[in-house]
Coordinates of all heavy atoms in Angstrom, one line a residue:
M1 N 98.5 111.7 85.3 CA 97.9 112.7 84.6 C 98.8 113.8 84.3 O 99.4 114.4 85.3 CB 96.6 113.0 85.3 CG 95.7 113.9 84.4 SD 94.9 112.9 82.9 CE 93.8 111.9 83.9
K2 N 99.1 114.1 83.1 CA 99.9 115.3 82.9 C 99.3 116.6 83.0 O 98.1 116.8 82.7 CB 100.4 115.2 81.4 CG 101.1 113.9 81.1 CD 102.3 113.8 81.7 CE 103.2 112.4 81.3 NZ 104.3 112.1 82.1
M3 N 99.9 117.5 83.5 CA 99.4 118.8 83.8 C 99.8 120.0 82.9 O 98.9 120.9 82.7 CB 99.7 119.3 85.4 CG 99.0 118.4 86.4 SD 97.3 118.9 86.4 CE 97.4 120.5 87.0
Y4 N 100.9 119.8 82.3 CA 101.4 120.9 81.4 C 101.8 120.4 80.2 O 102.3 119.3 80.0 CB 102.5 121.6 82.2 CG 102.2 122.2 83.4 CD1 102.4 121.6 84.6 CD2 101.6 123.5 83.5 CE1 102.1 122.2 85.8 CE2 101.4 124.2 84.8 CZ 101.6 123.5 85.9 OH 101.3 124.0 87.1
K5 N 101.6 121.2 79.2 CA 102.0 120.8 77.9 C 102.8 121.9 77.2 O 102.3 123.2 77.2 CB 100.8 120.4 77.1 CG 101.2 119.8 75.7 CD 100.0 119.4 74.9 CE 100.3 118.8 73.5 NZ 99.1 118.5 72.7
C6 N 103.9 121.7 76.5 CA 104.7 122.7 75.9 C 104.0 123.0 74.6 O 103.6 122.1 73.9 CB 106.0 122.2 75.7 SG 107.1 123.4 74.8
V7 N 103.8 124.3 74.1 CA 103.1 124.5 72.9 C 104.0 124.5 71.8 O 103.6 124.4 70.6 CB 102.5 125.9 72.9 CG1 101.3 126.0 74.1 CG2 103.5 127.0 73.1
R8 N 105.4 124.3 72.0 CA 106.4 124.2 70.9 C 106.6 122.7 70.5 O 106.5 122.4 69.4 CB 107.5 124.9 71.4 CG 108.5 125.1 70.4 CD 109.9 125.5 70.9 NE 110.8 126.1 70.0 CZ 112.0 126.5 70.3 NH1 112.4 126.1 71.4 NH2 112.8 127.1 69.4
C9 N 107.0 122.0 71.5 CA 107.4 120.7 71.1 C 106.3 119.7 71.5 O 106.3 118.5 71.2 CB 108.7 120.3 72.0 SG 108.6 120.2 73.7
G10 N 105.3 120.3 72.3 CA 104.2 119.3 72.6 C 104.4 118.2 73.6 O 103.6 117.4 73.8
K11 N 105.4 118.4 74.2 CA 105.7 117.4 75.3 C 104.9 117.8 76.5 O 104.8 119.0 76.9 CB 107.3 117.5 75.7 CG 107.7 116.4 76.5 CD 109.2 116.0 76.5 CE 109.5 114.9 77.3 NZ 110.7 114.2 77.1
E12 N 104.6 116.7 77.2 CA 103.7 116.9 78.4 C 104.4 116.6 79.7 O 105.2 115.6 79.8 CB 102.5 116.1 78.3 CG 101.6 116.5 77.2 CD 100.4 115.6 77.0 OE1 100.4 114.5 77.5 OE2 99.4 116.1 76.5
F13 N 104.1 117.4 80.7 CA 104.9 117.1 81.9 C 103.9 117.1 83.1 O 102.8 117.6 83.1 CB 105.8 118.2 82.2 CG 106.7 118.7 81.0 CD1 106.3 119.6 80.1 CD2 107.9 117.9 80.8 CE1 107.1 119.8 79.0 CE2 108.7 118.2 79.7 CZ 108.2 119.1 78.8
D14 N 104.3 116.4 84.1 CA 103.5 116.3 85.4 C 103.6 117.6 86.1 O 102.6 118.0 86.5 CB 103.9 115.2 86.1 CG 103.6 113.8 85.4 OD1 102.5 113.6 85.0 OD2 104.6 112.9 85.5
E15 N 104.7 117.8 86.4 CA 105.1 119.2 87.3 C 106.2 119.9 86.8 O 107.0 119.4 86.0 CB 105.2 118.6 88.8 CG 104.0 118.2 89.4 CD 104.2 117.9 90.9 OE1 105.4 118.3 91.4 OE2 103.4 117.4 91.5
L16 N 106.2 121.2 87.3 CA 107.4 122.0 86.8 C 108.0 122.3 88.2 O 107.4 122.5 89.1 CB 106.8 123.2 86.1 CG 106.2 122.9 84.7 CD1 105.7 124.3 84.4 CD2 107.2 122.5 83.7
P17 N 109.3 122.7 88.0 CA 110.1 123.1 89.1 C 109.4 124.4 89.6 O 108.9 125.2 88.9 CB 111.4 123.4 88.6 CG 111.6 122.4 87.5 CD 110.2 122.4 86.9
K18 N 109.4 124.6 90.8 CA 108.8 125.7 91.5 C 109.3 127.2 90.9 O 110.5 127.3 91.0 CB 108.8 125.8 93.0 CG 107.7 126.5 93.5 CD 107.8 126.2 95.1 CE 106.4 126.9 95.8 NZ 106.3 126.6 97.3
G19 N 108.5 128.0 90.5 CA 109.0 129.3 90.0 C 109.5 129.2 88.4 O 110.1 130.2 88.2
L20 N 109.6 128.1 88.0 CA 110.3 127.8 86.7 C 109.2 127.4 85.7 O 108.8 126.3 85.5 CB 111.3 127.0 86.8 CG 112.2 126.7 85.5 CD1 113.1 128.0 85.2 CD2 113.1 125.6 85.5
I21 N 108.5 128.5 84.9 CA 107.7 128.2 83.9 C 108.3 128.1 82.7 O 108.5 128.9 81.9 CB 106.6 129.2 83.8 CG1 105.9 129.4 85.3 CG2 105.5 128.8 82.9 CD1 105.3 128.1 85.9
R22 N 108.8 126.7 82.4 CA 109.6 126.7 81.2 C 109.6 125.2 80.9 O 109.6 124.3 81.7 CB 111.0 127.2 81.4 CG 111.9 127.0 80.3 CD 113.3 127.4 80.6 NE 113.3 128.9 80.8 CZ 114.5 129.5 81.0 NH1 115.6 129.0 80.9 NH2 114.6 130.9 81.1
C23 N 109.6 124.9 79.6 CA 109.7 123.5 79.1 C 111.1 122.9 79.4 O 112.1 123.4 79.0 CB 109.4 123.5 77.5 SG 109.6 121.8 76.9
P24 N 111.0 121.8 80.2 CA 112.3 121.2 80.5 C 112.9 120.5 79.2 O 114.2 120.1 79.2 CB 112.0 120.0 81.5 CG 110.6 120.5 82.0 CD 109.9 121.3 80.8
N25 N 112.2 120.5 78.3 CA 112.6 119.7 77.1 C 113.4 120.6 76.1 O 114.5 120.4 75.6 CB 111.6 119.0 76.4 CG 112.0 118.0 75.3 OD1 112.8 117.3 75.4 ND2 111.3 118.1 74.1
C26 N 112.6 121.8 75.7 CA 113.1 122.6 74.8 C 113.3 124.1 75.2 O 113.7 124.9 74.6 CB 112.3 122.7 73.6 SG 110.7 123.5 73.9
A27 N 113.0 124.3 76.5 CA 113.1 125.5 77.1 C 112.2 126.6 76.6 O 112.5 127.9 76.9 CB 114.7 126.0 77.1
Y28 N 111.1 126.3 76.0 CA 110.3 127.2 75.7 C 109.4 127.7 76.8 O 109.2 127.0 77.7 CB 109.3 126.6 74.6 CG 108.6 127.5 73.6 CD1 109.2 128.5 73.0 CD2 107.2 127.5 73.6 CE1 108.6 129.4 72.2 CE2 106.5 128.4 72.9 CZ 107.2 129.4 72.0 OH 106.5 130.2 71.4
R29 N 109.0 129.0 76.8 CA 108.4 129.5 78.0 C 106.9 129.5 77.9 O 106.2 130.0 78.9 CB 108.9 130.9 78.1 CG 110.3 131.0 78.7 CD 110.7 132.2 79.1 NE 112.0 132.7 78.6 CZ 112.5 134.0 78.6 NH1 111.6 134.9 78.9 NH2 113.6 134.2 78.1
I30 N 106.3 129.0 77.0 CA 104.8 129.0 76.9 C 104.4 127.5 77.1 O 104.5 126.7 76.2 CB 104.4 129.6 75.6 CG1 104.8 131.0 75.5 CG2 102.9 129.5 75.6 CD1 104.4 131.7 74.1
L31 N 103.7 127.3 78.1 CA 103.1 126.1 78.4 C 101.5 126.2 78.7 O 101.1 127.3 79.2 CB 103.7 125.5 79.7 CG 105.3 125.3 79.6 CD1 105.7 124.7 81.0 CD2 105.7 124.3 78.5
T32 N 100.9 125.2 78.2 CA 99.4 125.3 78.5 C 99.1 124.2 79.7 O 99.8 123.3 79.8 CB 98.6 124.9 77.3 OG1 99.2 123.5 76.8 CG2 98.8 125.9 76.2
K33 N 98.1 124.6 80.5 CA 97.7 123.7 81.6 C 96.7 122.9 81.0 O 95.8 123.4 80.5 CB 97.2 124.6 82.7 CG 97.8 124.3 84.0 CD 97.2 125.2 85.1 CE 98.3 125.2 86.3 NZ 97.8 126.1 87.4
T34 N 96.9 121.6 81.1 CA 95.9 120.7 80.7 C 95.0 120.3 81.9 O 95.7 119.7 82.7 CB 96.5 119.6 79.9 OG1 97.4 118.8 80.7 CG2 97.3 120.1 78.7
R35 N 93.8 120.3 81.7 CA 92.9 120.0 82.8 C 92.3 118.6 82.4 O 91.7 118.5 81.3 CB 91.8 120.9 83.1 CG 92.3 121.8 84.2 CD 91.0 122.6 84.7 NE 91.5 123.7 85.4 CZ 90.6 124.6 85.9 NH1 89.2 124.4 85.8 NH2 91.0 125.6 86.7
P36 N 92.2 117.7 83.2 CA 91.7 116.3 82.9 C 90.1 116.5 82.9 O 89.6 117.4 83.7 CB 92.0 115.4 84.1 CG 92.4 116.4 85.1 CD 93.0 117.7 84.6
P37 N 89.5 116.0 81.9 CA 88.0 116.2 81.8 C 87.4 115.6 83.0 O 87.5 114.5 83.3 CB 87.7 115.5 80.7 CG 88.8 114.5 80.3 CD 90.1 115.2 81.0
V38 N 86.7 116.5 83.7 CA 86.1 116.0 85.0 C 84.6 115.6 84.7 O 83.8 116.3 84.2 CB 86.1 117.1 86.0 CG1 85.4 116.6 87.3 CG2 87.5 117.6 86.3
A39 N 84.3 114.4 85.2 CA 82.9 113.9 85.0 C 82.2 114.4 86.1 O 82.5 114.1 87.3 CB 83.0 112.3 84.9
R40 N 81.1 115.1 85.8 CA 80.3 115.6 87.0 C 79.2 114.6 87.3 O 78.6 114.2 86.4 CB 79.8 116.9 86.5 CG 80.0 118.0 87.5 CD 79.4 119.2 87.2 NE 80.1 120.4 87.2 CZ 79.8 121.6 86.9 NH1 78.6 121.9 86.6 NH2 80.6 122.6 87.0
T41 N 79.2 114.4 88.5 CA 78.1 113.6 89.0 C 77.0 114.5 89.4 O 77.0 115.3 90.2 CB 78.5 112.7 90.2 OG1 79.8 112.0 89.8 CG2 77.4 111.6 90.5
V42 N 75.8 114.2 88.6 CA 74.6 114.9 89.0 C 73.5 114.0 89.7 O 73.3 112.9 89.3 CB 74.0 115.5 87.8 CG1 72.8 116.2 88.1 CG2 75.0 116.5 87.1
Q43 N 73.4 114.5 90.9 CA 72.3 113.6 91.6 C 70.9 114.1 91.4 O 70.6 115.2 91.7 CB 72.7 113.7 93.1 CG 72.2 112.5 93.9 CD 72.8 112.5 95.3 OE1 73.4 113.4 95.8 NE2 72.7 111.3 96.0
A44 N 70.0 113.2 91.0 CA 68.7 113.6 90.9 C 68.0 113.4 92.1 O 68.2 112.4 92.9 CB 68.1 112.6 89.7
R45 N 67.1 114.3 92.3 CA 66.3 114.2 93.6 C 65.0 113.9 93.3 O 64.4 114.5 92.5 CB 66.3 115.5 94.4 CG 67.8 115.9 94.7 CD 67.8 117.0 95.8 NE 69.2 117.5 96.0 CZ 69.5 118.3 97.0 NH1 68.5 118.8 97.7 NH2 70.6 118.7 97.3
Ligands
ZN119 ZN1 109.0 122.2 74.8

């Protein structure tokens, strides 16, 4: 599951080097954190 996505080139990454918020592909500094859609389990009582 990819965690980060570059807003410039659209490339997705699993992880980033610590302290380095930058696209490894194009060196753009704005990345979005993509969260996997979490299915919530609701328990009926
Ligand atoms: Zn990029």
Side-chain angles (χ1 to χ4, degrees):
M1 194 69 72
K2 306 291 186 189
M3 284 294 294
Y4 299 94
K5 184 180 182 182
C6 174
V7 300
R8 191 196 201 184
C9 67
K11 191 156 179 157
E12 297 177 335
F13 310 95
D14 292 318
E15 283 184 11
L16 295 172
K18 206 169 188 181
L20 186 73
I21 306 299
R22 182 180 291 189
C23 174
N25 189 47
C26 69
Y28 199 60
R29 283 191 225 161
I30 301 177
L31 302 173
T32 57
K33 229 179 201 178
T34 60
R35 267 199 199 177
V38 179
R40 231 186 229 185
T41 305
V42 179
Q43 197 167 18
R45 297 193 185 187

